[in-house]
Amino acid sequence: MGRIAIAERACLVGHCLSLAFGLAGLLLVLPNPEFITALPAFGQRAFAYSMAGGGVVYIVLGAIAVSLYAYRVLGYQRWLTFMIPAVGLSLCSELLGTSTGFPFGAYGYLDGLGYKIAGLVPFTIPLSWFYVGLSCYVIARSGLEQLKLPTWTRLIGSIVVGAGLLTAWDFVLDPAMSQTPYPFWQFQDVGEFFGMPYRNITGWLGTGMVFMTAASLFWGKGTIGLRREQLNTPLAIYLINFAFGALITLAQLDHRFWVMMAISVGFGVVPAIALWRKVPVETPDVAPVASETVAESIVAS
């Protein structure tokens, strides 16, 4: 195993441990303050620091793990041409949203996710769009490559399905982060869809489709030709982050959210695993075509 793969695995493990620690703190420790008061002064300070910075750590480790994965498996060009549009466009969307209410509805970020850009959006938020978004897109594109579809249908389908997987994750993340006793952001008005405004759904779909479309123009119309083993990191990232939001939602919100959970699993977890299973175990016989981008093909035609 190469050094990059080892570093990727270490960051993935650290990402998982950070999420597990955050879950323990939110679900077990904070609801039982007697546990905290029983700690010595040093332990209380350490716990306070870890809870305050835990959200930053798990997001940064997730972004590093996916960056190393993309560099190792997809190459630095595909990594950068996904990451730069994803971070840049999602940040613009979040800044617009927190300033005007479009496209997600009126909301604002609280503390706990790191330094806020322009005093509005934590720097970790566009990183989370990137690392979960790339995982969703790679799973969608690799799975749809196995179907006998016209090229443009496959490319557009990858964008739509990838953005759909991303939005399904938000179905469990948003309630966990905005409606539980320890929120990280808040909607200013009670939404129509389990406390979220419908605009939040279209905003997530739209933002995901915009930066995935931008990335696909750079990636080109050829197949990426991955085998199933090479999708293990994206699938693990998606399922772990999905489970994080789902467990908080189920533990701290009422039974109505089981309906949302079923919707989220049906539109997120089930298709993600199905697409992963569609990818062959062995490397495809046909080598991927990567030299001509979609933009170049349009010019040539």
Side-chain angles (χ1 to χ4, degrees), residues 8 69 72-74 138-139 142 224-235 276 279-284:
E8 172 195 327
Y69 162 82
R72 179 176 63 86
V73 175
L74 302 170
V138 170
I139 291 169
S142 297
I224 56 177
L226 302 182
R227 61 183 184 275
R228 189 182 301 169
E229 180 186 6
Q230 293 174 307
L231 289 178
N232 287 345
T233 292
L235 184 65
W276 172 78
V279 177
V281 176
E282 300 296 331
T283 305

Side-chain angles (χ1 to χ4, degrees), residues 49-66:
Y49 177 79
S50 62
M51 290 305 297
V56 174
V57 171
Y58 93 76
I59 293 174
V60 170
L61 286 174
I64 295 174
V66 170

Side-chain angles (χ1 to χ4, degrees), residues 4 8 65-83 130-131 133-142 145 215 218-220 222-227 230-231 233-234 288-291:
I4 294 177
E8 172 195 327
V66 170
S67 293
L68 292 172
Y69 162 82
Y71 177 82
R72 179 176 63 86
V73 175
L74 302 170
Y76 78 92
Q77 289 183 324
R78 283 179 172 153
W79 162 44
L80 292 177
T81 52
F82 192 99
M83 183 177 70
F130 154 65
Y131 80 80
L134 185 139
S135 300
C136 294
Y137 182 71
V138 170
I139 291 169
R141 183 154 175 167
S142 297
E145 283 179 1
F218 291 105
W219 282 29
T223 62
I224 56 177
L226 302 182
R227 61 183 184 275
Q230 293 174 307
L231 289 178
T233 292
V289 179
S291 59

